[in-house]
Amino acid sequence: MQSAYDVIIRPVVSERSYELMEQGKYTFEVAKKAPKEEIAEAVEKLFNVHVVKVNTINVRGKAKRVRYQVGMTRSWKKAIVTLAPGEQIEIFATQQQADAE
């Protein structure tokens, strides 16, 4: 079992993730080897919320080119966490309210 800070790496900030927040779903980049149970426990511990469901996606690296050199971006694991109805993560809620004003 890893620490909650080792499981949750960072929140994913994109237009799609902000649209999902209206449905009570939050998106995070997580450790590649973290199972869904550990992800749920880490989110509950860090943000004091109740997790209903966790969906995970392995995001493959894309081929990128810099001048003559061809390489790949890193691959990573994304988790979409669904919270109990009526709950929200405060860090994101303050950001949403600031954007609305």
Side-chain angles (χ1 to χ4, degrees):
M1 169 100 181
Q2 299 175 339
S3 142
Y5 294 103
D6 294 333
V7 174
I8 304 295
I9 297 172
R10 68 179 179 91
V12 175
V13 180
S14 66
E15 287 184 29
R16 178 168 166 82
S17 69
Y18 273 98
E19 289 175 9
L20 287 173
M21 284 181 206
E22 296 170 2
Q23 302 170 18
K25 298 178 180 183
Y26 294 85
T27 309
F28 298 96
E29 179 182 340
V30 295
K32 276 191 151 187
K33 294 191 178 188
K36 292 182 179 184
E37 295 82 15
E38 273 190 27
I39 295 169
E41 289 175 14
V43 171
E44 288 177 349
K45 181 179 177 184
L46 291 175
F47 301 109
N48 244 358
V49 293
H50 296 89
V51 174
V52 175
K53 184 177 177 183
V54 177
N55 294 328
T56 59
I57 302 114
N58 285 313
V59 181
R60 295 172 64 188
K62 295 180 182 178
K64 294 286 184 177
R65 204 183 93 186
V66 178
R67 214 139 215 254
Y68 308 111
Q69 201 70 10
V70 177
M72 297 286 286
T73 61
R74 67 187 181 90
S75 57
W76 52 287
K77 187 172 186 178
K78 175 167 54 171
I80 300 174
V81 178
T82 305
L83 301 183
E87 290 189 345
Q88 61 184 6
I89 295 177
E90 292 301 321
I91 296 169
F92 295 109
T94 56
Q95 182 66 30
Q96 286 176 336
Q97 291 171 357
D99 290 342
E101 294 174 353

XYZ file of all heavy atoms in Angstrom:
809
model
N 0.844 -1.185 0.000
C 0.000 0.000 0.000
C 0.885 1.242 0.000
O 1.762 1.395 0.833
C -0.895 -0.040 1.223
C -1.619 1.225 1.500
S -3.293 1.129 0.935
C -3.828 2.746 1.370
N 0.645 2.101 -0.951
C 1.409 3.337 -1.059
C 0.714 4.440 -0.281
O -0.462 4.340 0.066
C 1.523 3.752 -2.520
C 2.233 2.768 -3.395
C 2.189 3.201 -4.856
O 1.354 3.978 -5.256
N 3.114 2.682 -5.641
N 1.440 5.508 -0.042
C 0.850 6.680 0.585
C -0.126 7.326 -0.398
O 0.011 7.180 -1.616
C 1.980 7.647 0.960
O 1.610 8.972 0.753
N -1.096 8.058 0.109
C -2.083 8.717 -0.756
C -1.409 9.709 -1.692
O -1.844 9.901 -2.828
C -3.132 9.426 0.093
N -0.326 10.321 -1.233
C 0.393 11.289 -2.058
C 1.188 10.609 -3.176
O 1.504 11.242 -4.173
C 1.328 12.138 -1.201
C 0.570 13.015 -0.244
C 0.464 12.686 1.102
C -0.058 14.178 -0.681
C -0.240 13.485 1.984
C -0.760 14.985 0.191
C -0.851 14.635 1.517
O -1.558 15.437 2.382
N 1.514 9.331 -3.002
C 2.194 8.580 -4.057
C 1.209 8.070 -5.105
O 1.572 7.875 -6.256
C 2.953 7.387 -3.467
C 4.108 7.816 -2.584
O 4.646 8.918 -2.809
O 4.461 7.057 -1.666
N -0.038 7.858 -4.709
C -1.048 7.332 -5.626
C -1.577 8.451 -6.532
O -1.608 8.319 -7.745
C -2.214 6.681 -4.848
C -3.330 6.277 -5.785
C -1.708 5.477 -4.068
N -1.992 9.577 -5.938
C -2.528 10.706 -6.710
C -1.363 11.616 -7.069
O -0.742 12.215 -6.198
C -3.571 11.490 -5.887
C -4.692 10.575 -5.398
C -4.130 12.659 -6.705
C -5.544 9.973 -6.469
N -1.062 11.748 -8.354
C 0.074 12.556 -8.790
C -0.338 14.004 -9.001
O 0.282 14.917 -8.464
C 0.691 11.970 -10.074
C 1.239 10.567 -9.756
C 1.781 12.875 -10.619
C 1.711 9.791 -10.948
N -1.395 14.224 -9.794
C -1.863 15.591 -10.025
C -3.264 15.553 -10.602
O -3.673 14.552 -11.186
C -0.925 16.322 -10.986
C -0.957 15.787 -12.393
C -0.035 16.537 -13.347
N -0.104 15.950 -14.671
C -0.950 16.336 -15.620
N -1.786 17.325 -15.392
N -0.961 15.752 -16.789
N -4.033 16.645 -10.469
C -5.325 16.700 -11.151
C -5.115 16.998 -12.633
O -4.150 17.654 -13.014
C -6.043 17.857 -10.463
C -4.960 18.702 -9.907
C -3.816 17.781 -9.587
N -6.003 16.507 -13.458
C -5.948 16.778 -14.892
C -6.837 17.988 -15.154
O -8.025 17.969 -14.821
C -6.421 15.565 -15.707
C -6.480 15.893 -17.183
C -5.509 14.381 -15.451
N -6.259 19.032 -15.733
C -6.998 20.260 -16.005
C -7.187 20.376 -17.513
O -6.229 20.591 -18.252
C -6.235 21.489 -15.459
C -7.002 22.760 -15.746
C -5.978 21.331 -13.973
N -8.428 20.184 -17.956
C -8.755 20.307 -19.371
C -10.226 20.706 -19.476
O -10.962 20.682 -18.477
C -8.502 18.990 -20.102
O -9.391 18.000 -19.647
N -10.652 21.044 -20.664
C -12.057 21.416 -20.849
C -12.966 20.248 -20.526
O -13.996 20.407 -19.880
C -12.290 21.869 -22.290
C -11.709 23.229 -22.594
C -12.028 23.697 -24.005
O -13.084 23.300 -24.547
O -11.229 24.456 -24.553
N -12.586 19.071 -20.970
C -13.416 17.890 -20.714
C -13.504 17.589 -19.219
O -14.580 17.262 -18.707
C -12.869 16.690 -21.464
C -13.672 15.428 -21.200
C -13.287 14.329 -22.160
N -13.791 13.047 -21.712
C -15.021 12.619 -21.923
N -15.881 13.367 -22.572
N -15.412 11.430 -21.492
N -12.392 17.709 -18.502
C -12.426 17.412 -17.069
C -13.301 18.420 -16.316
O -13.984 18.057 -15.366
C -11.015 17.370 -16.486
O -10.431 18.642 -16.478
N -13.324 19.669 -16.756
C -14.182 20.665 -16.113
C -15.653 20.406 -16.419
O -16.518 20.649 -15.584
C -13.783 22.086 -16.524
C -12.695 22.638 -15.637
C -11.372 22.605 -16.030
C -12.993 23.155 -14.388
C -10.370 23.083 -15.210
C -12.007 23.635 -13.552
C -10.688 23.601 -13.973
O -9.713 24.064 -13.144
N -15.962 19.880 -17.607
C -17.339 19.509 -17.919
C -17.790 18.334 -17.063
O -18.940 18.277 -16.626
C -17.474 19.169 -19.400
C -17.376 20.369 -20.312
C -17.381 20.002 -21.789
O -17.635 18.820 -22.121
O -17.123 20.893 -22.608
N -16.883 17.391 -16.813
C -17.220 16.232 -15.983
C -17.446 16.626 -14.524
O -18.198 15.956 -13.814
C -16.127 15.174 -16.075
C -16.049 14.400 -17.388
C -14.812 13.500 -17.391
C -17.295 13.578 -17.614
N -16.805 17.695 -14.071
C -16.968 18.124 -12.679
C -18.414 18.506 -12.373
O -18.872 18.353 -11.244
C -16.051 19.314 -12.378
C -14.631 18.932 -12.200
S -13.661 20.382 -11.814
C -12.084 19.870 -12.425
N -19.142 18.986 -13.372
C -20.544 19.320 -13.169
C -21.371 18.076 -12.859
O -22.427 18.163 -12.253
C -21.091 20.021 -14.413
C -20.433 21.349 -14.682
C -20.802 21.934 -16.032
O -21.612 21.311 -16.749
O -20.267 23.002 -16.368
N -20.892 16.902 -13.279
C -21.571 15.633 -13.015
C -21.026 14.953 -11.757
O -21.405 13.829 -11.447
C -21.389 14.693 -14.205
C -21.905 15.242 -15.501
C -21.477 14.377 -16.681
O -21.084 13.226 -16.521
N -21.541 14.945 -17.869
N -20.105 15.601 -11.053
C -19.523 15.018 -9.848
C -18.383 14.062 -10.128
O -18.059 13.220 -9.304
N -17.744 14.206 -11.306
C -16.623 13.346 -11.676
C -15.357 14.185 -11.749
O -15.345 15.231 -12.387
C -16.884 12.672 -13.024
C -18.087 11.761 -13.021
C -18.329 11.150 -14.369
C -19.555 10.245 -14.343
N -19.763 9.587 -15.626
N -14.295 13.710 -11.108
C -13.023 14.429 -11.063
C -11.931 13.567 -11.674
O -11.898 12.356 -11.461
C -12.683 14.804 -9.616
C -13.665 15.812 -9.049
C -14.855 15.400 -8.474
C -13.397 17.169 -9.121
C -15.767 16.315 -7.978
C -14.296 18.091 -8.623
C -15.482 17.653 -8.060
O -16.378 18.579 -7.577
N -11.022 14.194 -12.416
C -10.000 13.470 -13.158
C -8.623 13.719 -12.545
O -8.268 14.871 -12.278
C -10.006 13.928 -14.629
O -11.350 13.860 -15.115
C -9.126 13.059 -15.481
N -7.856 12.643 -12.355
C -6.524 12.726 -11.771
C -5.544 11.888 -12.571
O -5.921 10.865 -13.143
C -6.515 12.197 -10.331
C -7.388 12.968 -9.392
C -8.666 12.545 -9.108
C -6.922 14.126 -8.799
C -9.477 13.245 -8.240
C -7.719 14.839 -7.930
C -9.006 14.398 -7.646
N -4.282 12.312 -12.568
C -3.205 11.436 -13.023
C -2.777 10.642 -11.804
O -2.562 11.202 -10.729
C -2.029 12.247 -13.560
C -0.890 11.378 -14.025
C 0.311 12.149 -14.525
O 0.165 13.329 -14.864
O 1.405 11.551 -14.552
N -2.680 9.323 -11.958
C -2.370 8.455 -10.825
C -1.163 7.579 -11.139
O -0.723 7.501 -12.290
C -3.583 7.562 -10.461
C -4.738 8.406 -9.977
C -4.016 6.700 -11.618
N -0.639 6.925 -10.125
C 0.488 6.007 -10.296
C 0.078 4.866 -11.217
O -1.051 4.380 -11.152
C 0.933 5.467 -8.943
N 0.999 4.451 -12.083
C 0.681 3.428 -13.088
C 0.242 2.102 -12.473
O -0.588 1.406 -13.042
C 1.888 3.188 -13.987
C 1.993 4.174 -15.105
C 3.041 3.708 -16.075
C 2.671 4.229 -17.439
N 3.517 3.718 -18.478
N 0.790 1.737 -11.344
C 0.489 0.435 -10.761
C -0.591 0.490 -9.687
O -0.856 -0.515 -9.037
C 1.761 -0.174 -10.187
C 2.766 -0.500 -11.262
C 3.903 -1.331 -10.746
C 4.834 -1.662 -11.900
N 5.850 -2.614 -11.528
N -1.239 1.648 -9.503
C -2.253 1.790 -8.456
C -3.572 1.163 -8.905
O -4.095 1.512 -9.960
C -2.458 3.256 -8.134
N -4.122 0.224 -8.121
C -5.431 -0.337 -8.456
C -6.559 0.629 -8.068
O -6.336 1.603 -7.341
C -5.493 -1.613 -7.618
C -4.572 -1.368 -6.492
C -3.503 -0.441 -6.990
N -7.752 0.346 -8.544
C -8.892 1.234 -8.305
C -9.184 1.421 -6.814
O -9.553 2.518 -6.385
C -10.139 0.687 -9.009
C -10.046 0.750 -10.518
C -11.320 0.239 -11.161
C -11.217 0.326 -12.665
N -12.464 -0.066 -13.324
N -9.020 0.371 -6.024
C -9.304 0.460 -4.587
C -8.375 1.466 -3.912
O -8.806 2.263 -3.072
C -9.160 -0.910 -3.914
C -10.174 -1.934 -4.374
C -9.783 -2.621 -5.682
O -8.608 -2.520 -6.110
O -10.663 -3.255 -6.277
N -7.086 1.417 -4.265
C -6.123 2.363 -3.683
C -6.420 3.787 -4.122
O -6.264 4.722 -3.338
C -4.697 1.997 -4.091
C -4.034 1.005 -3.192
C -2.549 0.847 -3.485
O -1.919 1.792 -3.993
O -2.028 -0.233 -3.196
N -6.827 3.974 -5.368
C -7.149 5.309 -5.869
C -8.339 5.866 -5.085
O -8.321 7.021 -4.647
C -7.449 5.269 -7.383
C -6.183 4.865 -8.146
C -7.968 6.610 -7.872
C -6.413 4.526 -9.604
N -9.369 5.055 -4.877
C -10.548 5.489 -4.130
C -10.177 5.868 -2.699
O -10.597 6.918 -2.196
C -11.607 4.391 -4.135
N -9.369 5.051 -2.038
C -8.949 5.339 -0.660
C -8.138 6.625 -0.591
O -8.301 7.428 0.330
C -8.122 4.184 -0.104
C -8.916 2.941 0.190
C -8.030 1.769 0.617
O -6.833 1.998 0.932
O -8.540 0.641 0.619
N -7.252 6.834 -1.570
C -6.408 8.030 -1.573
C -7.244 9.301 -1.742
O -7.025 10.292 -1.039
C -5.364 7.938 -2.680
N -8.211 9.277 -2.645
C -9.069 10.457 -2.860
C -9.908 10.725 -1.618
O -10.049 11.877 -1.186
C -9.958 10.264 -4.114
C -10.998 11.363 -4.211
C -9.109 10.237 -5.364
N -10.454 9.677 -1.014
C -11.245 9.852 0.209
C -10.403 10.437 1.329
O -10.854 11.314 2.066
C -11.854 8.520 0.637
C -12.983 8.064 -0.260
C -13.547 6.711 0.118
O -12.930 5.996 0.957
O -14.599 6.342 -0.439
N -9.174 9.972 1.458
C -8.293 10.439 2.529
C -7.839 11.879 2.293
O -7.859 12.699 3.213
C -7.074 9.518 2.621
C -6.112 9.884 3.713
C -4.950 8.913 3.761
C -3.940 9.329 4.808
N -2.765 8.455 4.811
N -7.445 12.204 1.060
C -6.906 13.538 0.776
C -7.968 14.630 0.775
O -7.710 15.748 1.217
C -6.176 13.543 -0.573
C -4.875 12.768 -0.654
C -4.352 12.774 -2.082
C -3.834 13.370 0.276
N -9.165 14.325 0.262
C -10.155 15.368 0.055
C -11.392 15.239 0.943
O -12.324 16.031 0.820
C -10.586 15.398 -1.426
C -9.441 15.650 -2.357
C -8.958 14.633 -3.170
C -8.832 16.891 -2.427
C -7.912 14.855 -4.046
C -7.784 17.118 -3.289
C -7.314 16.108 -4.094
N -11.440 14.239 1.823
C -12.560 14.068 2.753
C -13.911 13.948 2.039
O -14.863 14.668 2.369
C -12.604 15.232 3.744
C -12.376 14.778 5.150
O -12.216 13.585 5.402
N -12.354 15.712 6.061
N -13.997 13.090 1.065
C -15.221 12.857 0.308
C -15.484 11.351 0.233
O -14.636 10.560 0.624
C -15.127 13.446 -1.125
C -15.075 14.952 -1.091
C -13.943 12.880 -1.872
N -16.648 10.966 -0.282
C -16.985 9.554 -0.463
C -16.958 9.230 -1.952
O -17.661 9.863 -2.735
C -18.360 9.256 0.121
C -18.415 9.449 1.597
N -18.737 10.660 2.175
C -18.153 8.598 2.612
C -18.692 10.538 3.486
N -18.340 9.296 3.779
N -16.171 8.244 -2.318
C -16.025 7.839 -3.712
C -17.019 6.714 -4.013
O -17.090 5.729 -3.291
C -14.582 7.373 -4.006
C -14.470 6.817 -5.409
C -13.618 8.517 -3.796
N -17.786 6.887 -5.096
C -18.764 5.887 -5.506
C -18.157 4.944 -6.537
O -18.367 3.732 -6.488
C -20.018 6.578 -6.099
C -20.998 5.558 -6.642
C -20.668 7.460 -5.061
N -17.366 5.506 -7.484
C -16.883 4.713 -8.609
C -15.553 5.278 -9.098
O -15.324 6.480 -9.022
C -17.926 4.799 -9.727
C -17.681 3.987 -10.939
C -18.868 4.162 -11.882
C -18.660 3.427 -13.157
N -19.774 3.644 -14.089
N -14.690 4.393 -9.603
C -13.410 4.805 -10.187
C -13.261 4.124 -11.549
O -13.377 2.912 -11.654
C -12.218 4.407 -9.280
C -10.902 4.770 -9.941
C -12.330 5.053 -7.925
N -13.025 4.929 -12.571
C -12.710 4.415 -13.902
C -11.269 4.786 -14.212
O -10.859 5.916 -13.949
C -13.618 5.029 -14.971
C -15.053 4.616 -14.811
O -15.336 3.515 -14.368
N -15.970 5.503 -15.157
N -10.498 3.849 -14.763
C -9.102 4.125 -15.091
C -8.844 3.933 -16.573
O -9.478 3.095 -17.218
C -8.147 3.217 -14.287
O -8.446 1.863 -14.571
C -8.238 3.488 -12.803
N -7.913 4.723 -17.092
C -7.527 4.668 -18.493
C -6.011 4.748 -18.564
O -5.415 5.616 -17.923
C -8.117 5.857 -19.288
C -9.627 5.877 -19.173
C -7.700 5.809 -20.744
C -10.151 7.051 -18.430
N -5.383 3.852 -19.326
C -3.951 3.951 -19.580
C -3.766 4.785 -20.843
O -4.188 4.377 -21.917
C -3.322 2.574 -19.756
C -3.179 1.860 -18.436
O -2.705 2.449 -17.475
N -3.606 0.624 -18.382
N -3.157 5.951 -20.701
C -2.964 6.867 -21.818
C -1.606 6.567 -22.445
O -0.578 6.648 -21.768
C -3.025 8.338 -21.340
C -2.840 9.291 -22.504
C -4.338 8.603 -20.628
N -1.611 6.207 -23.714
C -0.372 5.862 -24.405
C 0.353 7.126 -24.838
O -0.275 8.144 -25.143
C -0.682 5.007 -25.623
C -1.272 3.660 -25.250
C -1.744 2.896 -26.435
N -0.625 2.574 -27.304
C -0.755 2.039 -28.503
N -1.965 1.797 -28.975
N 0.290 1.761 -29.238
N 1.675 7.053 -24.891
C 2.475 8.176 -25.356
C 2.288 8.402 -26.844
O 2.022 7.467 -27.598
N 2.411 9.656 -27.259
C 2.262 9.987 -28.678
C 3.631 10.164 -29.313
O 4.577 10.603 -28.665
C 1.497 11.295 -28.831
C 0.084 11.247 -28.346
C -0.568 12.591 -28.557
C -1.980 12.594 -28.028
N -2.607 13.908 -28.191
N 3.718 9.861 -30.586
C 4.966 10.082 -31.324
C 5.098 11.574 -31.591
O 4.177 12.205 -32.104
C 4.950 9.298 -32.626
N 6.223 12.141 -31.239
C 6.491 13.560 -31.463
C 7.821 13.698 -32.173
O 8.707 12.866 -32.023
C 6.554 14.323 -30.128
C 5.247 14.377 -29.385
C 4.308 15.338 -30.032
C 3.032 15.453 -29.224
N 2.125 16.419 -29.790
N 7.957 14.770 -32.912
C 9.189 15.004 -33.641
C 9.736 16.376 -33.301
O 9.008 17.359 -33.299
C 8.904 14.928 -35.136
C 10.109 14.577 -35.952
C 9.753 14.585 -37.390
N 10.077 15.942 -37.852
C 9.809 16.392 -39.038
N 9.160 15.657 -39.905
N 10.157 17.598 -39.395
N 11.011 16.447 -33.014
C 11.709 17.711 -32.828
C 12.832 17.719 -33.847
O 13.794 16.969 -33.746
C 12.277 17.858 -31.396
C 13.036 19.148 -31.249
C 11.160 17.768 -30.387
N 12.658 18.534 -34.840
C 13.587 18.626 -35.967
C 13.749 17.272 -36.635
O 12.804 16.780 -37.223
C 14.921 19.186 -35.494
C 15.584 20.041 -36.522
C 16.185 21.256 -35.873
N 16.101 22.397 -36.707
C 17.127 22.907 -37.331
N 18.301 22.345 -37.256
N 16.972 23.981 -38.035
N 14.881 16.630 -36.505
C 15.107 15.336 -37.159
C 14.963 14.170 -36.197
O 15.031 13.031 -36.598
C 16.519 15.304 -37.787
C 16.756 16.497 -38.667
C 17.651 17.483 -38.299
C 16.069 16.647 -39.859
C 17.866 18.586 -39.094
C 16.279 17.749 -40.667
C 17.172 18.720 -40.280
O 17.364 19.802 -41.078
N 14.791 14.468 -34.942
C 14.729 13.443 -33.897
C 13.279 13.039 -33.649
O 12.426 13.887 -33.423
C 15.342 14.024 -32.617
C 15.800 13.044 -31.621
C 17.027 12.285 -32.073
O 17.651 12.602 -33.068
N 17.349 11.264 -31.335
N 12.992 11.756 -33.696
C 11.650 11.263 -33.408
C 11.669 10.628 -32.029
O 12.577 9.869 -31.698
C 11.204 10.227 -34.463
C 9.834 9.672 -34.126
C 11.199 10.849 -35.836
N 10.665 10.958 -31.225
C 10.589 10.406 -29.876
C 9.144 10.204 -29.476
O 8.226 10.364 -30.282
N 8.944 9.838 -28.233
C 7.602 9.595 -27.711
C 7.387 10.423 -26.452
O 8.319 10.615 -25.669
C 7.436 8.115 -27.343
C 7.555 7.140 -28.486
S 6.132 7.143 -29.559
C 4.944 6.287 -28.550
N 6.154 10.901 -26.255
C 5.803 11.507 -24.981
C 5.590 10.358 -23.992
O 5.427 9.208 -24.395
C 4.533 12.365 -25.083
O 3.453 11.535 -25.488
C 4.709 13.516 -26.055
N 5.553 10.660 -22.731
C 5.440 9.597 -21.737
C 4.021 9.045 -21.698
O 3.047 9.738 -22.006
C 5.848 10.120 -20.366
C 4.912 11.160 -19.806
C 5.482 11.749 -18.530
N 4.563 12.732 -18.003
C 3.594 12.458 -17.146
N 3.414 11.233 -16.708
N 2.783 13.408 -16.708
N 3.900 7.803 -21.316
C 2.581 7.213 -21.112
C 2.245 7.359 -19.623
O 3.139 7.421 -18.775
C 2.569 5.755 -21.545
O 3.544 5.033 -20.850
N 0.952 7.438 -19.299
C 0.522 7.655 -17.925
C -0.860 7.067 -17.706
O -1.509 6.620 -18.641
C 0.553 9.132 -17.567
C -0.190 10.035 -18.522
C 0.203 10.376 -19.784
C -1.429 10.689 -18.305
N -0.723 11.216 -20.351
C -1.734 11.434 -19.467
C -2.307 10.743 -17.237
C -2.884 12.200 -19.581
C -3.457 11.517 -17.350
C -3.733 12.238 -18.505
N -1.285 7.031 -16.457
C -2.576 6.450 -16.108
C -3.497 7.551 -15.592
O -3.097 8.364 -14.760
C -2.395 5.376 -15.029
C -3.645 4.588 -14.721
C -3.303 3.433 -13.798
C -4.476 2.524 -13.579
N -4.097 1.390 -12.710
N -4.718 7.566 -16.114
C -5.704 8.572 -15.733
C -6.841 7.883 -14.987
O -7.267 6.792 -15.370
C -6.224 9.261 -16.998
C -7.331 10.250 -16.773
C -7.630 11.143 -17.961
C -7.914 10.455 -19.241
N -8.397 11.390 -20.286
N -7.339 8.523 -13.932
C -8.471 7.987 -13.178
C -9.583 9.031 -13.145
O -9.330 10.196 -12.845
C -8.055 7.634 -11.763
N -10.789 8.601 -13.479
C -11.963 9.461 -13.358
C -12.743 8.951 -12.156
O -13.237 7.824 -12.148
C -12.814 9.423 -14.644
C -11.978 9.910 -15.821
C -14.065 10.277 -14.466
C -12.653 9.795 -17.161
N -12.834 9.792 -11.124
C -13.416 9.412 -9.839
C -14.794 10.043 -9.713
O -14.934 11.257 -9.837
C -12.499 9.879 -8.685
C -13.100 9.531 -7.350
C -11.116 9.282 -8.831
N -15.817 9.223 -9.471
C -17.178 9.712 -9.273
C -17.440 9.809 -7.778
O -17.245 8.839 -7.043
C -18.207 8.757 -9.913
O -17.863 8.572 -11.279
C -19.606 9.319 -9.808
N -17.882 10.985 -7.336
C -18.165 11.214 -5.916
C -19.637 10.978 -5.618
O -20.480 10.961 -6.522
C -17.791 12.644 -5.531
C -16.341 13.059 -5.750
C -16.128 14.474 -5.241
C -15.374 12.112 -5.075
N -19.951 10.828 -4.339
C -21.336 10.674 -3.898
C -22.115 11.935 -4.259
O -21.542 13.034 -4.301
C -21.376 10.425 -2.396
N -23.419 11.809 -4.536
C -24.215 12.985 -4.911
C -24.157 14.073 -3.839
O -24.225 13.794 -2.647
C -25.631 12.430 -5.030
C -25.456 10.971 -5.255
C -24.188 10.584 -4.548
N -24.003 15.310 -4.283
C -23.962 16.446 -3.363
C -22.585 16.786 -2.835
O -22.409 17.800 -2.172
N -21.584 15.957 -3.118
C -20.231 16.225 -2.644
C -19.390 16.819 -3.764
O -19.641 16.568 -4.946
C -19.567 14.947 -2.131
C -20.160 14.445 -0.854
C -19.352 13.315 -0.253
O -18.507 12.730 -0.955
O -19.571 13.021 0.925
N -18.411 17.625 -3.369
C -17.472 18.172 -4.342
C -16.133 18.383 -3.668
O -16.046 18.450 -2.448
C -17.991 19.475 -4.941
C -18.218 20.588 -3.935
C -18.813 21.812 -4.598
O -19.152 21.784 -5.759
N -18.932 22.882 -3.844
N -15.103 18.475 -4.479
C -13.760 18.728 -3.965
C -13.556 20.238 -3.961
O -13.705 20.893 -4.992
C -12.705 17.998 -4.813
C -12.900 16.490 -4.687
C -11.301 18.398 -4.377
C -11.975 15.659 -5.534
N -13.234 20.785 -2.808
C -13.205 22.237 -2.614
C -12.191 22.959 -3.497
O -12.438 24.069 -3.934
C -12.935 22.570 -1.147
C -14.075 22.175 -0.232
C -15.387 22.835 -0.581
O -15.408 24.026 -0.948
O -16.415 22.141 -0.540
N -11.053 22.355 -3.758
C -10.033 23.007 -4.575
C -10.601 23.333 -5.950
O -10.432 24.433 -6.464
C -8.794 22.102 -4.724
C -8.153 21.880 -3.369
C -7.803 22.706 -5.707
C -7.095 20.814 -3.354
N -11.321 22.389 -6.520
C -11.911 22.605 -7.833
C -13.121 23.516 -7.742
O -13.388 24.293 -8.646
C -12.323 21.273 -8.463
C -11.161 20.378 -8.752
C -10.943 19.233 -8.013
C -10.279 20.695 -9.756
C -9.873 18.414 -8.284
C -9.206 19.873 -10.035
C -9.006 18.728 -9.298
N -13.864 23.446 -6.660
C -15.073 24.257 -6.525
C -14.718 25.741 -6.496
O -15.398 26.555 -7.106
C -15.828 23.861 -5.263
N -13.647 26.095 -5.803
C -13.252 27.506 -5.756
C -12.797 27.976 -7.119
O -13.056 29.109 -7.494
C -12.136 27.740 -4.723
O -11.048 26.878 -5.034
C -12.617 27.473 -3.314
N -12.163 27.111 -7.898
C -11.731 27.461 -9.241
C -12.930 27.669 -10.159
O -12.979 28.595 -10.930
C -10.806 26.377 -9.816
C -10.271 26.682 -11.190
C -9.339 27.875 -11.203
O -8.648 28.172 -10.239
N -9.334 28.605 -12.290
N -13.939 26.812 -10.042
C -15.143 26.935 -10.863
C -15.885 28.220 -10.536
O -16.383 28.893 -11.423
C -16.058 25.735 -10.652
C -15.574 24.470 -11.295
C -16.466 23.286 -10.985
O -17.175 23.269 -9.970
N -16.445 22.293 -11.850
N -15.978 28.572 -9.262
C -16.680 29.793 -8.867
C -15.937 31.016 -9.373
O -16.544 31.982 -9.807
C -16.815 29.853 -7.348
C -17.773 28.815 -6.811
C -17.733 28.743 -5.290
O -16.953 29.435 -4.647
N -18.576 27.890 -4.726
N -14.617 30.987 -9.359
C -13.828 32.120 -9.834
C -13.995 32.275 -11.356
O -14.049 33.396 -11.870
C -12.353 31.936 -9.496
N -14.085 31.158 -12.080
C -14.282 31.221 -13.525
C -15.665 31.765 -13.871
O -15.834 32.449 -14.868
C -14.117 29.833 -14.147
C -12.661 29.366 -14.108
O -11.774 30.219 -13.921
O -12.425 28.151 -14.251
N -16.668 31.455 -13.039
C -18.037 31.903 -13.314
C -18.201 33.410 -13.114
O -19.028 34.046 -13.736
C -19.006 31.153 -12.414
N -17.403 33.964 -12.213
C -17.530 35.400 -11.907
C -16.842 36.252 -12.875
O -16.566 36.432 -13.835
C -16.933 35.691 -10.538
C -17.710 35.048 -9.431
C -17.020 35.225 -8.095
O -15.882 35.736 -8.036
O -17.619 34.855 -7.095
